[in-house]
Amino acid sequence: GMGTLIGQKQTVNGVTLTLEGALWNKDKMLLSFTIDGASIPKDVPDGFHFSRDVMQVTLAEHQRETYVRSEMEETEKLLAETRTPSTKEELDARVKEALGRGKPKLFHLPTLVRGGGKERLLVSVSILPYVEKPELTVHMESLVLYKNAEGKYWPRSYDGYEPLTLVSGPFDFTFT
């Protein structure tokens, strides 16, 4: 794996998020953000997974097509024995349609990590090596979780759970 120190800071509504760095390992990238100035209740457990909906992770516009096309070509290779390969026209049409739907959607998982007197948001992003130097944008509107009357926390809206906003953005980070 490779690691990059980034050190990008943004302060919105009194809360500072710092994108400390990115660790890269084959098809996973781990982003580390420190959170300063947020009042996250002490009883929100270390290792709490937030809903993916709290943020979007996207590739730079000029890299999206390469990524989607490579992913489709790769899939076709895997299915070559069971399926007739697409013509260039069919592939082009599928790529265009996928881009229109906002693909690639990079799967990511934000997790709260507490330790050393700091609160961090670790975001694991699945990204396949289809583009040379991926340029990523992380957009976060707000960091929300849900709490019920018994004090249990849940990542998404659920019966009897009230939303609790820990950090309200928007925050935007772009990096390579």
Side-chain angles (χ1 to χ4, degrees):
M2 290 178 341
T4 313
L5 281 168
I6 299 170
Q8 260 186 55
K9 267 185 203 225
Q10 270 185 24
T11 304
V12 182
N13 297 318
V15 176
T16 303
L17 280 192
T18 306
L19 174 53
E20 296 179 296
L23 280 177
W24 185 293
N25 193 336
K26 285 218 233 33
D27 52 4
K28 279 250 185 313
M29 190 184 267
L30 196 61
L31 308 176
S32 174
F33 294 89
T34 51
I35 308 170
D36 289 295
S39 39
I40 300 175
K42 292 278 168 263
D43 61 344
V44 176
D46 177 45
F48 181 87
H49 294 306
F50 291 92
S51 160
R52 309 203 316 257
D53 304 339
V54 300
M55 60 173 60
Q56 288 82 46
V57 182
T58 49
L59 267 180
E61 202 51 49
H62 66 279
Q63 296 180 332
R64 288 176 55 220
E65 181 171 350
T66 310
Y67 193 95
V68 167
R69 184 175 297 277
S70 306
E71 201 169 27
M72 284 182 179
E73 286 169 352
E74 210 52 37
T75 306
E76 291 231 326
K77 270 185 213 147
L78 293 172
L79 300 173
E81 292 175 16
T82 53
R83 270 213 325 230
T84 321
S86 309
T87 63
K88 188 187 176 310
E89 288 73 20
E90 288 169 334
L91 194 61
D92 287 350
R94 287 211 342 262
V95 167
K96 199 175 162 186
E97 192 265 334
L99 291 170
R101 284 187 290 123
K103 297 272 185 209
K105 293 252 194 286
L106 303 175
F107 181 82
H108 60 276
L109 186 64
T111 305
L112 178 69
V113 175
R114 305 188 122 141
K118 276 200 177 297
E119 292 174 324
R120 283 189 174 80
L121 192 60
L122 283 189
V123 183
S124 160
V125 182
S126 298
I127 179 165
L128 296 159
Y130 295 143
V131 284
E132 191 99 357
K133 280 193 177 143
E135 187 180 309
L136 293 179
T137 296
V138 176
H139 170 79
M140 187 172 92
E141 273 309 315
S142 49
L143 196 56
V144 184
L145 45 69
Y146 299 82
K147 187 180 185 175
N148 72 4
E150 286 90 70
K152 280 211 175 81
Y153 293 102
W154 199 250
R156 49 183 55 85
S157 176
Y158 195 69
D159 238 16
Y161 282 75
E162 293 296 318
L164 179 63
T165 301
L166 304 179
V167 176
S168 53
F171 291 89
D172 283 282
F173 294 89
T174 299
F175 58 95
T176 40

